[in-house]
Amino acid sequence: LIVKDSLNYGLWYRKALLQETTSDTNGALQSYRYAIRVYPAPDALLAAANLLAEKKDSTALALCRQVANLRIGREYTAHCHFISGVYYARTGNRQKAMDAFNSCIANDFNYKEAYMEKGFLLYDTKKFNEALAVFQTLVTVKNTYPDGYYWLAKCQEAMNNQAEAIANYQKARTLDTSLKEADDALKR
């Protein structure tokens, strides 16, 4: 289809999504670039920014600023803050990452990925009480999210609260029967 209609934004965007699904990051980025050249839609800009943030490429921040400047709503603003936070987290700037994740949550308190990334940063720095509070907030906001319960249990395990950790590993396992990590933790 692209051979017949190379200036079709939708085709390039769909191709990029398919490439992303098959873990072809470089191909996806190239297809996103073509899509953006045809029509710089916020969805394509953010999708490309997300991949670039994971690759520690500062172009992600420029794309997020471009979308943020469009001022098209809190949802997109939250996405911009989240992707910026991912970039900062991957490049080791923990404070800017935390600020970005907090801004993301302020724009969309249901943004579970922002809670997760924030909790990961705290957990990695062994601030288990603070990470625990983040994951508790997450499972309050989204009480059917198995990863939230899993990480809540990991924090409790790190703090030697074995009974609570077991209960939350079991909740995580109940919500997602394919969560092998929860099974492994329960065996441990």
Side-chain angles (χ1 to χ4, degrees):
L1 290 172
I2 288 174
V3 170
K4 292 180 182 179
D5 188 4
S6 64
L7 295 177
N8 187 319
Y9 161 83
L11 295 176
W12 284 111
Y13 181 72
R14 292 287 178 212
K15 180 179 180 184
L17 292 174
L18 289 170
Q19 290 170 311
E20 198 172 336
T21 302
T22 61
S23 300
D24 180 7
T25 304
N26 291 330
L29 281 169
Q30 183 177 1
S31 294
Y32 282 132
R33 283 187 194 108
Y34 285 128
I36 291 166
R37 277 191 217 145
V38 173
Y39 175 64
D43 292 332
L45 290 166
L46 289 174
N50 189 48
L51 291 177
L52 292 167
E54 290 289 352
K55 292 179 72 162
K56 303 176 187 176
D57 186 330
S58 63
T59 307
L61 298 176
L63 293 176
C64 286
R65 278 192 299 276
Q66 186 176 345
V67 173
N69 288 338
L70 296 173
R71 302 193 195 311
I72 51 179
R74 294 175 74 102
E75 177 185 354
Y76 284 95
T77 301
H79 291 321
C80 291
H81 287 300
F82 175 75
I83 293 167
S84 297
V86 169
Y87 170 78
Y88 290 126
R90 302 304 181 262
T91 57
N93 192 335
R94 293 183 193 275
Q95 188 54 52
K96 280 192 172 185
M98 290 296 270
D99 292 344
F101 293 136
N102 286 333
S103 295
C104 174
I105 292 167
N107 278 285
D108 181 357
F109 73 94
N110 287 309
Y111 209 117
K112 62 186 180 234
E113 295 86 356
Y115 290 103
M116 293 295 290
E117 289 288 340
K118 185 176 171 181
F120 296 157
L121 288 173
L122 294 166
Y123 185 89
D124 290 344
T125 57
K126 301 196 183 323
K127 295 180 180 177
F128 300 122
N129 282 327
E130 293 176 46
L132 181 76
V134 170
F135 293 122
Q136 283 174 327
T137 302
L138 172 58
V139 298
T140 300
V141 169
K142 189 77 172 166
N143 66 354
T144 58
Y145 188 53
D147 292 346
Y149 286 105
Y150 172 76
W151 279 93
L152 182 61
K154 278 187 67 104
C155 291
Q156 291 164 332
E157 184 179 359
M159 298 167 59
N160 292 319
N161 296 338
Q162 301 302 329
E164 293 172 5
I166 289 170
N168 283 310
Y169 282 132
Q170 288 172 335
K171 278 185 188 175
R173 181 69 174 92
T174 301
L175 292 168
D176 182 0
T177 56
S178 68
L179 194 59
K180 184 184 176 320
E181 294 86 354
D183 282 338
D184 295 343
L186 286 167
K187 289 174 189 172
R188 199 175 52 246

